[in-house]
Amino acid sequence: MGLPKTRRLFEVNVVGVIACTVAAHPHMAHRDGASIVDIVSAAAHLGGAAYGTSKLAVAGLTITFARELGAEGIRVNAISPGRWRLHPADR
């Protein structure tokens, strides 16, 4: 992938989550039902390439932000979508 593309990937996937959470925090603190949902990926659980590693970092950030922001009533969770088989013919 190369270093420039890897840096860009982490800038979007990891730093983007940090930037959005920090920006949303003051607007969400102490409000009923405040919730942040991060998008991880099944790739985070499989290890390997830079993409999976960046999504694993997002999973870690989710845990950290949940601990830090929970005291202010902000729930922070993540979903980890992967492939779905919706039709028996797709097997």
Side-chain angles (χ1 to χ4, degrees):
M1 173 181 273
L3 188 56
K5 286 186 179 181
T6 301
R7 282 181 197 241
R8 176 70 178 143
L9 178 77
F10 274 80
E11 184 73 26
V12 170
N13 290 349
V14 180
V15 178
V17 167
I18 295 168
C20 289
T21 301
V22 168
H25 171 236
H27 304 285
M28 298 179 85
H30 305 291
R31 293 184 182 247
D32 290 337
S35 181
I36 296 170
V37 180
D38 295 328
I39 310 262
V40 181
S41 169
H45 310 289
L46 302 174
Y51 177 78
T53 303
S54 73
K55 290 299 190 171
L56 187 59
V58 172
L61 285 170
T62 302
I63 293 166
T64 300
F65 282 132
R67 288 180 180 152
E68 290 179 0
L69 303 181
E72 297 180 55
I74 303 171
R75 291 179 298 121
V76 184
N77 295 290
I79 60 170
S80 188
R83 292 185 175 196
W84 290 81
R85 292 187 181 173
L86 300 176
H87 193 277
D90 293 339
R91 293 182 185 186

